[in-house]
Amino acid sequence: MTLVWIIAIPLVGGLLAWAAGHRSDTAPRWIALSAMALDLALALGLWKQYGAADFSISGPWLQELHTSWIPQFGISFHLAVDGLSLLLLLLTALLGLLCVPVSWTEIRHRVGFFHFNLLWVLAGILGVFMAADLFLFYCFWELMLIPMYFLIAIWGHERRLYAAMKFFIFTQLSGLFMLVAILGLVFMHHTAAGVFTFNYAELIGTPLSRTISLWLMLGFFAAFAVKLPVVPVHSWLPDAHTEAPTAGSVILAGLLLKTGAYGLLRFVLPLFPVAAGEMASVAMVLAVVGIIYGAVLAFAQTDLKRLVAYSSVSHMGFVLLGVATNNLLALQGAVLQVLCHGLGTGALFILVGALQERIHTRDLRAMGGLWTNAPRMGGVAMFLALASLGLPGLGNFIGEFLVLLGTYQTSIPIAVVASIGLIVSTVYSLWIIQRAFHGVAPETRRVSDFTRREMATMAVLMAGLVWLGLYPQPVINTASQTLTRIQQTVVTAQSKAATVKLVGMSSPRSGEIR
Amino acid sequence: MTSAMFVVLLPIIVTGVTTVAVMLVVAFYRNHALTAALTSCGLVAAFLILPVSGAAAVREATALLVLDNFALYYIGLILLAAVAIVMISFGYFERRAVDPHEYYLLLLCAVVGGEVLAASNHFVSLVLGLEILSVSLYALIAYARTLKPLEAAVKYLVLAAGSAAFLFFGAALLYAEFGTMELPTIAAALNAGTPIPSAIVLAGLGLIIVGVGFKLALVPFHLWTADVYEGASAPVTAFIATVSKGAVFAVLFRYFTESGVHAHHALLFIFTLVAITSMFVGNLLALMQLNVKRMLAYSSIAHLGYLLVAFLASGPLAAPAAAVYLAAYFITTLGAFGVISALSDRDHEPENLDEYRGLFWRRPWMALTFTMMLLSLAGIPLTAGFIGKFLVIAAGEESARWAAILALVVNSAIGLFYYVRVVAVMCAGTPRSSEASTLPPALPAHWSGASALVILTGALVWIGVYPAPLLKVIQALVTLPG
């Protein structure tokens, strides 16, 4: 039942916050805060409950809930959690909780409706991480879009409507391709096994011909690649991230992008291991292109928020690289990168949001010398920049290092080119500090430093980054069983396919000889 | 005619009797509430009596009409839609400076026409139903008798009469070939016939497709749609978009499926082409509209295109998919026009997109309802529209209609743009801004229209969240034999 509560609390909290918004502006904030705190407590409770057991219990899931929903098509309301989902649930609950204090002073209009949307988008994301039925997964996948659309379109900055629309259409169109692919998979399963089912566990191992498997995989990949984002389909991201209000950017960068990574790990690899293997080299190239391209473009930005947005493209490239490489090290690196990027970029967006609230611009050229005005902000920014450039001892380093280590075993050139991305990221990270915080402050400008509320928010995120950088083992342990299973599924299926291919190739040749 | 046939025909008879009753009452005692109440009671009674006719042993009433489960489903849908329209109209005409009494009479006539059409088994009943429906619609469209509705009505009159002529000529050609006007016999003959039918048959079918395509507003027979939707008053537009199309679609689906269209590649190609062009033309033109009624008109063209994908699929999922899609389309279209009706005042309907600016902050419930309807039209999960779209895609994939599915997916994204644009406009602006004060003061919604909207929204969410019971009923009802 805990799983249902985790989704139900933000849903109900959202409705309450909306209703309370008619009376006062503070009530919705406290309702949202307590709802997310409760959710975080539940998620932590789950982690504690299974943290002791080394995640090698019998079934694939730690906990699941299964009720029939649309029996005619074998659709069920099926939530399930394993180590991987648990980590992402924790990340979602934590960032979701922090989004409330972040918007405490920024959001002044329609506070109730804002928190309704905030909590509902979080509920959608939580659902995505828990759904074990493909129809349900698709529903949650779409459910998180509409509140996000409102968050950008109502409380966003100058070009908010354009950005919101672009975001919505990109994700919707790619989502529909996924829906077609889901249905295709279900029909293939129906042909093979004679029953309609959308159950994830049953659909794994559906026999697929090579072409069909490739097409269906591409359908899923389209949806996840847009979310991740992978370079040719990333163009919604800088707009949406830049125009969204701070909490919206935090959720976009910290959580929504992660649903793409999660989808690749959870669905693309296990459902289409052979096709994913065939696509791996293409995906790796795309990942490296993303790493370099995102970093170079980040460096070229003058809008601070856009800069952080492009750095996300670069960082998420490492995640794709890890997934495409598909050995255990790289997968672990990808998961760590997901978590650290969530914390680190979330914190960076909070910082930029706080800056904009104070100096009413995001233009780097108008900044400079902020350190003298606001030393606490400067210190935090320095820390985050170091985390983003991959300083050893902070989380991102572990993630990127593991991914590169894993990639090195598969393809040395790719690993070499990807590491160049680290250099460029150093450049743009330090560039932020130099342009915004160093230099001479204009005499006239007065900037108030971080308040206690803001420092507390930042402290949580920074502590998380340090912890992941110094002692990531608990996190690795939590995800390792899931990742091992995914990796083994893929390897087994690929080797089986290779044998079949070998036999298939040898037989006509032997025929020719005869 | 035996007495058993009367039992089977009860739904149509009850509607007909209500029509006469309303006519007599209106002649002697003119009270808007009474007229509307009588109309809706008659429609509800006709709906409640459907199981009686469903329990009859023989479902064919003369050679003209057949009220099997398939027909009863569509008749039920028509009746429910008509009840919703009556509720919406009552609130609408309470505000309007138009004498509303004969409106209900015409509405009932049109419903009878729709019922006959959905149950028709013979060219004669087909023509009868179509003409009863069309003639009532001419008057309904022109009902307000101001310039714009009259223009729309004349347009509809000329084109509908022309398209009916096409249909009759097509029927005549088929009669010349097969020597019968009974649709099942013709369908069976076509199904058993040679793979390439004779030129006369092809011409006949082609002409019938023109007639049907006009009623369904499929491209390239769609030219009347936007003007008529814009000109007619909002409840009448809702009627044209739902009842009139649903009845024609029921006939089309039944007999074209029975005659094995799917085996004839040429016909299949034509329908695929019509479906795909309807989607693209409808959506691309809707994209350019700043008038909400015109936008909904073009979007309905696209939606009929989506519906044709289910029609093109020949597998066991096709009939339920079409039925669910149509039900979802009915609910959302009625809801959308219901909102427009509820926002209307004495002499003005909010048509321009600008009038919806900031609606979220002025009329939050109306805006929320409209948003739900638009999201359902866009096919977002947890709305009825999504379940419909899901089933249509499923049916299409089952029969491997990949081109149509690809068009559907791309068009859904195009459609999203203009649906969401309305939502964006509704949540733009603030109540304090100057433009809001220039708008006429908002009347509270009339209870009748508002309750219709509540029911429609409830149905929309219910089907979207828990469609299992509806699917069960529909699968039991609409599966065609063979």
Side-chain angles (χ1 to χ4, degrees), chain B residues 63-64 67 72 134 165 183 195 212 216 218 224 231 280 291 315 325 355 377 392 456:
Chain B
L64 297 183
L67 279 91
L72 286 184
S134 300
L183 295 173
V212 169
L216 294 178
L218 293 165
W224 57 277
F280 274 104
N291 179 314
Y325 195 92
E355 296 175 64
L377 283 172
V392 164
L456 288 168

Side-chain angles (χ1 to χ4, degrees), chain B residues 61-101:
Chain B
T62 69
L64 297 183
L65 296 169
V66 54
L67 279 91
D68 56 1
N69 284 343
F70 184 85
L72 286 184
Y73 170 77
Y74 283 97
I75 290 178
L77 209 56
I78 290 170
L79 287 169
L80 287 181
V83 174
I85 291 171
V86 169
M87 288 173 78
I88 293 167
S89 310
F90 181 64
Y92 179 83
F93 281 109
E94 279 286 282
R95 297 266 161 76
R96 282 258 137 164
V98 179
D99 179 39
H101 295 90

Side-chain angles (χ1 to χ4, degrees), chain A residues 276-509:
Chain A
E278 285 173 2
M279 274 283 290
S281 44
V282 180
M284 283 164 90
V285 171
L286 286 175
V288 171
V289 170
I291 293 172
I292 306 284
Y293 174 87
V296 170
L297 253 69
F299 178 64
Q301 301 305 314
T302 50
D303 183 328
L304 187 51
K305 220 171 173 185
R306 242 184 141 74
L307 191 159
V308 180
Y310 274 111
S311 83
S312 288
V313 177
S314 173
H315 284 143
M316 295 312 281
F318 279 101
V319 175
L320 181 63
L321 186 60
V323 174
T325 305
N326 190 37
N327 57 41
L328 202 53
L329 275 177
L331 288 181
Q332 283 169 347
V335 171
L336 270 170
Q337 176 78 353
V338 159
L339 297 175
C340 298
H341 178 261
L343 297 177
T345 309
L348 267 175
F349 274 118
I350 296 175
L351 181 87
V352 179
L355 265 180
Q356 188 178 11
E357 214 180 320
R358 286 168 170 78
I359 58 175
H360 306 292
T361 179
R362 302 184 303 262
D363 195 338
L364 271 175
R365 288 164 300 191
M367 297 181 189
L370 280 169
W371 205 302
T372 39
N373 295 124
R376 279 200 290 264
M377 269 184 149
V380 171
M382 192 70 211
F383 178 92
L384 294 175
L386 291 178
S388 158
L389 65 81
L391 189 76
L394 297 175
N396 293 44
F397 171 73
I398 310 281
E400 282 161 16
F401 180 72
L402 284 176
V403 169
L404 289 174
L405 203 59
T407 313
Y408 191 82
Q409 295 174 2
T410 316
S411 157
I412 297 175
I414 295 273
V416 169
V417 181
S419 358
I420 296 175
L422 284 176
I423 301 172
V424 189
S425 76
T426 310
V427 175
Y428 69 72
S429 302
L430 295 177
W431 184 249
I432 301 178
I433 299 299
Q434 196 189 344
R435 292 301 292 272
F437 290 93
H438 290 176
V440 186
E443 288 289 317
T444 49
R445 187 177 61 201
R446 305 198 65 79
V447 180
S448 55
D449 207 350
F450 267 158
T451 60
R452 218 174 285 164
R453 169 177 58 79
E454 287 165 319
M455 276 315 278
T457 313
M458 286 301 192
V460 174
L461 293 170
M462 284 153 68
L465 284 172
V466 173
W467 176 56
L468 285 174
L470 294 179
Y471 186 50
Q473 200 56 42
V475 169
I476 293 179
N477 284 347
T478 307
S480 83
Q481 203 225 353
T482 314
L483 295 181
T484 316
R485 193 175 329 99
I486 290 172
Q487 205 248 343
Q488 276 167 0
T489 319
V490 176
V491 170
T492 322
Q494 281 175 354
S495 62
K496 206 193 277 174
T499 358
V500 172
K501 210 174 181 182
L502 222 63
V503 173
M505 272 165 70
S506 60
S507 51
R509 211 174 285 161

Side-chain angles (χ1 to χ4, degrees), chain A residues 91-158:
Chain A
L91 180 73
T92 311
L94 177 68
L95 283 180
L97 178 67
L98 295 182
C99 279
V100 183
V102 160
S103 2
W104 208 276
T105 51
E106 186 193 354
I107 304 300
R108 293 169 192 283
H109 300 299
R110 317 187 212 296
V111 180
F113 193 45
F114 177 84
H115 287 89
F116 165 80
N117 284 313
L118 187 71
L119 288 174
W120 276 54
V121 73
L122 289 168
I125 295 169
L126 290 165
V128 163
F129 292 144
M130 286 199 275
D133 178 286
L134 265 67
F135 185 86
L136 184 66
F137 174 76
Y138 182 79
C139 284
F140 281 126
W141 185 262
E142 299 284 304
L143 179 65
M144 64 187 182
L145 295 185
I146 298 150
M148 195 67 228
Y149 171 83
F150 280 121
L151 283 182
I152 303 175
I154 301 182
W155 294 275
H157 304 307
E158 308 81 34

